[in-house]
Amino acid sequence: QVQLVESGGGLVQPGGSLRLSCAASGSIFSINTMGWFRQAPGKQRELVAIITSGGSTNYGDSAKGRSTVSRDNAKNTVVLQMNSLKPEDTAPYYCYAVLRRTEVSPWNAYWGQGTQVTVSS
């Protein structure tokens, strides 16, 4: 079993900041990529930010310039810091990880259950 558990969502005022954390646990041999996606109602799931085990990052257009993704490989955790939040940032945010459970297992994608972020005054 693999679990991705998110924390840090909630209500944020426009212009404020959020910090989301995700911890992967369970039967894990190695994690390649970790990060965050979001899916607003009526929209497709979109990339927020991802980071590889080597530290390479990729940000979605909506997150560029105001977000930072970081991870602790030893603890299997990933953190998203996003600033200058706007109402259109409102969505559930999902933790994402590409990992393998044993040395010979294939790489598979796993998702957290999501943490709601609401940007409103």
Side-chain angles (χ1 to χ4, degrees):
Q1 294 277 356
V2 173
Q3 282 190 314
L4 301 181
V5 179
E6 303 111 331
S7 61
L11 178 64
V12 183
Q13 289 194 339
S17 300
L18 66 79
R19 187 176 186 272
L20 303 180
S21 299
C22 173
S25 63
S27 178
I28 298 171
F29 176 77
S30 178
I31 303 178
N32 182 353
T33 300
M34 294 189 80
W36 298 89
F37 286 72
R38 69 187 187 188
Q39 186 169 14
K43 295 188 177 182
Q44 288 189 330
R45 189 167 292 192
E46 65 171 352
L47 168 70
V48 179
I50 54 175
I51 182 170
T52 68
S53 57
S56 296
T57 58
N58 188 22
Y59 293 91
D61 289 342
S62 64
K64 287 178 182 175
R66 60 189 183 107
S67 302
T68 302
V69 63
S70 59
R71 67 186 278 181
D72 184 327
N73 291 329
K75 296 181 179 179
N76 290 340
T77 57
V78 62
V79 173
L80 174 70
Q81 177 76 37
M82 183 178 283
N83 304 317
S84 303
L85 288 169
K86 312 167 190 176
E88 50 263 44
D89 292 316
T90 296
Y93 284 65
Y94 297 92
C95 182
Y96 166 83
V98 177
L99 60 88
R100 52 181 178 174
R101 299 181 63 182
T102 72
E103 188 175 4
V104 296
S105 298
W107 295 98
N108 284 316
Y110 291 81
W111 295 90
Q113 292 194 334
T115 184
Q116 179 67 37
V117 172
T118 301
V119 183
S120 175
S121 56

Short mmCIF file of all heavy atoms in Angstrom, two decimals, residues 12-61:
data_model
loop_
_atom_site.label_atom_id
_atom_site.label_comp_id
_atom_site.label_asym_id
_atom_site.label_seq_id
_atom_site.Cartn_x
_atom_site.Cartn_y
_atom_site.Cartn_z
N VAL A 12 -7.87 31.22 2.12
CA VAL A 12 -6.80 32.21 2.02
C VAL A 12 -7.38 33.47 1.38
O VAL A 12 -8.17 33.38 0.44
CB VAL A 12 -5.62 31.69 1.18
CG1 VAL A 12 -4.49 32.71 1.16
CG2 VAL A 12 -5.14 30.35 1.69
N GLN A 13 -6.95 34.61 1.86
CA GLN A 13 -7.40 35.86 1.26
C GLN A 13 -6.64 36.14 -0.02
O GLN A 13 -5.47 35.73 -0.17
CB GLN A 13 -7.19 37.01 2.25
CG GLN A 13 -8.15 36.96 3.43
CD GLN A 13 -8.15 38.27 4.20
OE1 GLN A 13 -7.21 39.06 4.11
NE2 GLN A 13 -9.22 38.50 4.95
N PRO A 14 -7.28 36.82 -0.97
CA PRO A 14 -6.55 37.23 -2.19
C PRO A 14 -5.28 37.98 -1.83
O PRO A 14 -5.28 38.85 -0.94
CB PRO A 14 -7.56 38.12 -2.90
CG PRO A 14 -8.90 37.62 -2.44
CD PRO A 14 -8.69 37.24 -1.00
N GLY A 15 -4.22 37.64 -2.53
CA GLY A 15 -2.92 38.23 -2.25
C GLY A 15 -2.13 37.49 -1.20
O GLY A 15 -0.94 37.78 -1.00
N GLY A 16 -2.75 36.54 -0.55
CA GLY A 16 -2.08 35.77 0.49
C GLY A 16 -1.25 34.63 -0.07
O GLY A 16 -1.04 34.52 -1.28
N SER A 17 -0.78 33.79 0.84
CA SER A 17 0.09 32.68 0.47
C SER A 17 -0.44 31.37 1.02
O SER A 17 -1.24 31.36 1.97
CB SER A 17 1.50 32.91 1.02
OG SER A 17 2.06 34.09 0.51
N LEU A 18 0.00 30.30 0.40
CA LEU A 18 -0.32 28.99 0.93
C LEU A 18 0.94 28.13 0.94
O LEU A 18 1.88 28.37 0.18
CB LEU A 18 -1.41 28.30 0.13
CG LEU A 18 -1.16 27.90 -1.32
CD1 LEU A 18 -0.35 26.61 -1.43
CD2 LEU A 18 -2.47 27.70 -2.06
N ARG A 19 0.92 27.16 1.84
CA ARG A 19 1.99 26.18 1.91
C ARG A 19 1.35 24.81 2.06
O ARG A 19 0.73 24.52 3.08
CB ARG A 19 2.93 26.48 3.07
CG ARG A 19 4.17 25.61 3.11
CD ARG A 19 5.10 26.05 4.25
NE ARG A 19 6.36 25.34 4.25
CZ ARG A 19 6.59 24.19 4.85
NH1 ARG A 19 5.60 23.60 5.51
NH2 ARG A 19 7.78 23.61 4.81
N LEU A 20 1.51 24.01 1.04
CA LEU A 20 0.96 22.66 1.05
C LEU A 20 2.08 21.65 1.23
O LEU A 20 3.14 21.79 0.62
CB LEU A 20 0.21 22.37 -0.25
CG LEU A 20 -0.93 23.31 -0.62
CD1 LEU A 20 -1.55 22.86 -1.95
CD2 LEU A 20 -1.98 23.35 0.47
N SER A 21 1.80 20.64 2.03
CA SER A 21 2.76 19.57 2.25
C SER A 21 2.14 18.23 1.90
O SER A 21 0.93 18.05 2.03
CB SER A 21 3.20 19.53 3.72
OG SER A 21 3.82 20.73 4.10
N CYS A 22 2.98 17.32 1.45
CA CYS A 22 2.52 15.97 1.13
C CYS A 22 3.59 14.98 1.56
O CYS A 22 4.78 15.19 1.29
CB CYS A 22 2.27 15.85 -0.36
SG CYS A 22 1.88 14.18 -0.92
N ALA A 23 3.14 13.93 2.22
CA ALA A 23 4.05 12.88 2.66
C ALA A 23 3.63 11.56 2.03
O ALA A 23 2.46 11.17 2.12
CB ALA A 23 4.04 12.78 4.17
N ALA A 24 4.57 10.90 1.42
CA ALA A 24 4.32 9.58 0.85
C ALA A 24 4.79 8.52 1.84
O ALA A 24 5.87 8.64 2.43
CB ALA A 24 5.07 9.41 -0.47
N SER A 25 3.96 7.51 2.02
CA SER A 25 4.31 6.45 2.96
C SER A 25 3.83 5.11 2.44
O SER A 25 3.02 5.03 1.52
CB SER A 25 3.69 6.73 4.34
OG SER A 25 2.28 6.72 4.26
N GLY A 26 4.34 4.06 3.08
CA GLY A 26 3.95 2.73 2.68
C GLY A 26 5.10 1.98 2.06
O GLY A 26 6.27 2.27 2.31
N SER A 27 4.76 1.03 1.22
CA SER A 27 5.76 0.20 0.58
C SER A 27 6.34 0.93 -0.63
O SER A 27 5.82 0.85 -1.72
CB SER A 27 5.12 -1.13 0.14
OG SER A 27 6.06 -1.94 -0.52
N ILE A 28 7.44 1.65 -0.40
CA ILE A 28 8.06 2.48 -1.43
C ILE A 28 9.54 2.16 -1.53
O ILE A 28 10.24 2.22 -0.53
CB ILE A 28 7.88 3.98 -1.11
CG1 ILE A 28 6.40 4.35 -1.08
CG2 ILE A 28 8.62 4.83 -2.14
CD1 ILE A 28 6.13 5.75 -0.56
N PHE A 29 9.98 1.85 -2.74
CA PHE A 29 11.42 1.63 -2.96
C PHE A 29 12.09 2.91 -3.40
O PHE A 29 13.16 3.27 -2.91
CB PHE A 29 11.63 0.53 -4.00
CG PHE A 29 13.07 0.31 -4.36
CD1 PHE A 29 13.91 -0.38 -3.50
CD2 PHE A 29 13.60 0.81 -5.55
CE1 PHE A 29 15.25 -0.57 -3.80
CE2 PHE A 29 14.94 0.62 -5.86
CZ PHE A 29 15.76 -0.08 -4.99
N SER A 30 11.46 3.60 -4.34
CA SER A 30 12.08 4.80 -4.88
C SER A 30 11.01 5.71 -5.47
O SER A 30 10.06 5.22 -6.07
CB SER A 30 13.10 4.41 -5.96
OG SER A 30 13.68 5.56 -6.54
N ILE A 31 11.19 7.00 -5.29
CA ILE A 31 10.29 8.00 -5.88
C ILE A 31 11.05 8.82 -6.90
O ILE A 31 12.10 9.37 -6.59
CB ILE A 31 9.67 8.91 -4.81
CG1 ILE A 31 8.92 8.10 -3.76
CG2 ILE A 31 8.72 9.92 -5.47
CD1 ILE A 31 8.33 8.93 -2.63
N ASN A 32 10.51 8.93 -8.08
CA ASN A 32 11.12 9.75 -9.12
C ASN A 32 10.60 11.18 -9.01
O ASN A 32 11.29 12.07 -8.56
CB ASN A 32 10.82 9.16 -10.49
CG ASN A 32 11.48 9.95 -11.61
OD1 ASN A 32 12.08 10.99 -11.39
ND2 ASN A 32 11.39 9.42 -12.82
N THR A 33 9.38 11.38 -9.41
CA THR A 33 8.79 12.71 -9.44
C THR A 33 7.73 12.86 -8.35
O THR A 33 6.97 11.94 -8.09
CB THR A 33 8.14 12.96 -10.80
OG1 THR A 33 9.13 12.84 -11.82
CG2 THR A 33 7.51 14.34 -10.88
N MET A 34 7.72 14.02 -7.73
CA MET A 34 6.64 14.39 -6.80
C MET A 34 6.16 15.78 -7.16
O MET A 34 6.91 16.58 -7.75
CB MET A 34 7.12 14.39 -5.35
CG MET A 34 7.51 13.03 -4.82
SD MET A 34 7.80 13.05 -3.03
CE MET A 34 6.11 12.99 -2.41
N GLY A 35 4.93 16.08 -6.81
CA GLY A 35 4.46 17.42 -7.08
C GLY A 35 2.98 17.60 -6.84
O GLY A 35 2.37 16.84 -6.08
N TRP A 36 2.45 18.61 -7.54
CA TRP A 36 1.08 19.04 -7.29
C TRP A 36 0.35 19.34 -8.59
O TRP A 36 0.90 19.95 -9.51
CB TRP A 36 1.09 20.31 -6.43
CG TRP A 36 1.71 20.09 -5.10
CD1 TRP A 36 3.03 20.21 -4.77
CD2 TRP A 36 1.04 19.66 -3.91
NE1 TRP A 36 3.22 19.89 -3.45
CE2 TRP A 36 2.02 19.56 -2.91
CE3 TRP A 36 -0.28 19.37 -3.61
CZ2 TRP A 36 1.69 19.17 -1.60
CZ3 TRP A 36 -0.61 18.99 -2.32
CH2 TRP A 36 0.38 18.89 -1.34
N PHE A 37 -0.90 18.92 -8.61
CA PHE A 37 -1.85 19.28 -9.66
C PHE A 37 -3.08 19.85 -8.98
O PHE A 37 -3.28 19.69 -7.78
CB PHE A 37 -2.23 18.05 -10.49
CG PHE A 37 -1.16 17.57 -11.43
CD1 PHE A 37 -0.03 16.93 -10.95
CD2 PHE A 37 -1.29 17.75 -12.79
CE1 PHE A 37 0.96 16.49 -11.81
CE2 PHE A 37 -0.31 17.31 -13.67
CZ PHE A 37 0.82 16.68 -13.17
N ARG A 38 -3.91 20.51 -9.76
CA ARG A 38 -5.17 20.99 -9.23
C ARG A 38 -6.25 20.84 -10.28
O ARG A 38 -5.96 20.74 -11.48
CB ARG A 38 -5.06 22.46 -8.80
CG ARG A 38 -4.89 23.44 -9.95
CD ARG A 38 -4.63 24.84 -9.42
NE ARG A 38 -4.63 25.82 -10.51
CZ ARG A 38 -4.28 27.09 -10.36
NH1 ARG A 38 -3.90 27.55 -9.17
NH2 ARG A 38 -4.31 27.91 -11.39
N GLN A 39 -7.51 20.82 -9.82
CA GLN A 39 -8.62 20.67 -10.75
C GLN A 39 -9.81 21.48 -10.27
O GLN A 39 -10.55 21.05 -9.37
CB GLN A 39 -9.01 19.20 -10.90
CG GLN A 39 -10.06 18.96 -11.96
CD GLN A 39 -10.25 17.50 -12.30
OE1 GLN A 39 -9.79 16.61 -11.57
NE2 GLN A 39 -10.90 17.21 -13.41
N ALA A 40 -9.99 22.64 -10.86
CA ALA A 40 -11.14 23.47 -10.52
C ALA A 40 -12.40 22.85 -11.11
O ALA A 40 -12.33 22.12 -12.11
CB ALA A 40 -10.93 24.87 -11.06
N PRO A 41 -13.56 23.12 -10.53
CA PRO A 41 -14.82 22.57 -11.04
C PRO A 41 -15.03 22.91 -12.52
O PRO A 41 -14.84 24.05 -12.94
CB PRO A 41 -15.88 23.24 -10.17
CG PRO A 41 -15.18 23.56 -8.91
CD PRO A 41 -13.77 23.91 -9.30
N GLY A 42 -15.35 21.89 -13.30
CA GLY A 42 -15.61 22.09 -14.72
C GLY A 42 -14.37 22.22 -15.57
O GLY A 42 -14.47 22.47 -16.77
N LYS A 43 -13.19 22.05 -14.97
CA LYS A 43 -11.95 22.19 -15.72
C LYS A 43 -11.13 20.90 -15.64
O LYS A 43 -11.34 20.06 -14.77
CB LYS A 43 -11.14 23.37 -15.18
CG LYS A 43 -11.80 24.71 -15.37
CD LYS A 43 -10.86 25.84 -14.98
CE LYS A 43 -11.49 27.19 -15.25
NZ LYS A 43 -10.56 28.31 -14.91
N GLN A 44 -10.19 20.80 -16.54
CA GLN A 44 -9.30 19.65 -16.52
C GLN A 44 -8.26 19.81 -15.42
O GLN A 44 -7.93 20.93 -15.01
CB GLN A 44 -8.58 19.52 -17.88
CG GLN A 44 -9.48 19.07 -19.02
CD GLN A 44 -8.69 18.74 -20.27
OE1 GLN A 44 -7.65 19.33 -20.51
NE2 GLN A 44 -9.18 17.79 -21.05
N ARG A 45 -7.77 18.66 -14.96
CA ARG A 45 -6.69 18.70 -13.97
C ARG A 45 -5.47 19.32 -14.63
O ARG A 45 -5.11 18.97 -15.76
CB ARG A 45 -6.38 17.29 -13.47
CG ARG A 45 -5.42 17.25 -12.30
CD ARG A 45 -5.40 15.88 -11.64
NE ARG A 45 -6.66 15.60 -10.97
CZ ARG A 45 -6.84 14.57 -10.12
NH1 ARG A 45 -5.82 13.74 -9.86
NH2 ARG A 45 -8.02 14.37 -9.57
N GLU A 46 -4.83 20.24 -13.93
CA GLU A 46 -3.69 20.95 -14.51
C GLU A 46 -2.48 20.90 -13.60
O GLU A 46 -2.60 20.84 -12.37
CB GLU A 46 -4.03 22.41 -14.81
CG GLU A 46 -4.34 23.26 -13.60
CD GLU A 46 -4.46 24.74 -13.95
OE1 GLU A 46 -4.16 25.13 -15.08
OE2 GLU A 46 -4.87 25.50 -13.06
N LEU A 47 -1.32 20.95 -14.21
CA LEU A 47 -0.07 20.95 -13.49
C LEU A 47 0.09 22.24 -12.70
O LEU A 47 -0.12 23.33 -13.23
CB LEU A 47 1.10 20.81 -14.47
CG LEU A 47 2.49 21.08 -13.93
CD1 LEU A 47 2.91 19.97 -12.96
CD2 LEU A 47 3.49 21.20 -15.07
N VAL A 48 0.49 22.10 -11.45
CA VAL A 48 0.92 23.25 -10.66
C VAL A 48 2.45 23.27 -10.62
O VAL A 48 3.08 24.21 -11.09
CB VAL A 48 0.34 23.22 -9.24
CG1 VAL A 48 0.84 24.43 -8.45
CG2 VAL A 48 -1.19 23.19 -9.27
N ALA A 49 3.03 22.21 -10.08
CA ALA A 49 4.49 22.13 -10.01
C ALA A 49 4.91 20.72 -9.71
O ALA A 49 4.25 20.01 -8.93
CB ALA A 49 5.03 23.07 -8.93
N ILE A 50 6.01 20.29 -10.31
CA ILE A 50 6.59 18.99 -10.02
C ILE A 50 8.09 19.13 -9.85
O ILE A 50 8.70 20.09 -10.34
CB ILE A 50 6.29 17.94 -11.12
CG1 ILE A 50 6.72 18.44 -12.49
CG2 ILE A 50 4.83 17.53 -11.10
CD1 ILE A 50 6.56 17.41 -13.60
N ILE A 51 8.67 18.15 -9.16
CA ILE A 51 10.10 18.16 -8.91
C ILE A 51 10.61 16.73 -8.93
O ILE A 51 9.97 15.81 -8.39
CB ILE A 51 10.41 18.85 -7.55
CG1 ILE A 51 11.91 18.90 -7.30
CG2 ILE A 51 9.66 18.19 -6.40
CD1 ILE A 51 12.29 19.79 -6.11
N THR A 52 11.75 16.52 -9.57
CA THR A 52 12.33 15.19 -9.63
C THR A 52 13.21 14.93 -8.42
O THR A 52 13.52 15.86 -7.65
CB THR A 52 13.17 15.02 -10.90
OG1 THR A 52 14.33 15.85 -10.80
CG2 THR A 52 12.37 15.39 -12.14
N SER A 53 13.66 13.71 -8.28
CA SER A 53 14.54 13.37 -7.17
C SER A 53 15.87 14.11 -7.26
O SER A 53 16.54 14.34 -6.25
CB SER A 53 14.79 11.86 -7.13
OG SER A 53 15.32 11.42 -8.36
N GLY A 54 16.23 14.52 -8.47
CA GLY A 54 17.46 15.27 -8.66
C GLY A 54 17.30 16.77 -8.47
O GLY A 54 18.28 17.52 -8.54
N GLY A 55 16.05 17.21 -8.26
CA GLY A 55 15.82 18.62 -8.00
C GLY A 55 15.36 19.43 -9.19
O GLY A 55 15.14 20.64 -9.07
N SER A 56 15.18 18.80 -10.33
CA SER A 56 14.68 19.55 -11.49
C SER A 56 13.19 19.83 -11.29
O SER A 56 12.44 18.96 -10.84
CB SER A 56 14.87 18.73 -12.77
OG SER A 56 16.24 18.53 -13.02
N THR A 57 12.79 21.04 -11.65
CA THR A 57 11.41 21.46 -11.43
C THR A 57 10.72 21.85 -12.74
O THR A 57 11.37 22.23 -13.72
CB THR A 57 11.34 22.65 -10.46
OG1 THR A 57 12.12 23.72 -11.00
CG2 THR A 57 11.89 22.28 -9.09
N ASN A 58 9.41 21.77 -12.70
CA ASN A 58 8.59 22.21 -13.82
C ASN A 58 7.33 22.81 -13.23
O ASN A 58 6.67 22.19 -12.38
CB ASN A 58 8.25 21.03 -14.73
CG ASN A 58 7.57 21.49 -16.01
OD1 ASN A 58 7.71 22.64 -16.42
ND2 ASN A 58 6.83 20.59 -16.64
N TYR A 59 6.99 24.01 -13.69
CA TYR A 59 5.83 24.72 -13.16
C TYR A 59 4.79 24.93 -14.26
O TYR A 59 5.13 25.23 -15.41
CB TYR A 59 6.25 26.08 -12.60
CG TYR A 59 7.12 26.00 -11.37
CD1 TYR A 59 8.50 25.96 -11.49
CD2 TYR A 59 6.56 25.95 -10.10
CE1 TYR A 59 9.31 25.88 -10.36
CE2 TYR A 59 7.36 25.86 -8.96
CZ TYR A 59 8.73 25.83 -9.11
OH TYR A 59 9.53 25.75 -7.99
N GLY A 60 3.53 24.84 -13.86
CA GLY A 60 2.47 25.20 -14.77
C GLY A 60 2.45 26.71 -14.98
O GLY A 60 2.96 27.47 -14.15
N ASP A 61 1.84 27.12 -16.07
CA ASP A 61 1.84 28.55 -16.40
C ASP A 61 1.25 29.39 -15.29
O ASP A 61 1.72 30.50 -15.01
CB ASP A 61 1.07 28.78 -17.70
CG ASP A 61 1.81 28.26 -18.91
OD1 ASP A 61 3.05 28.04 -18.81
OD2 ASP A 61 1.17 28.04 -19.96
#
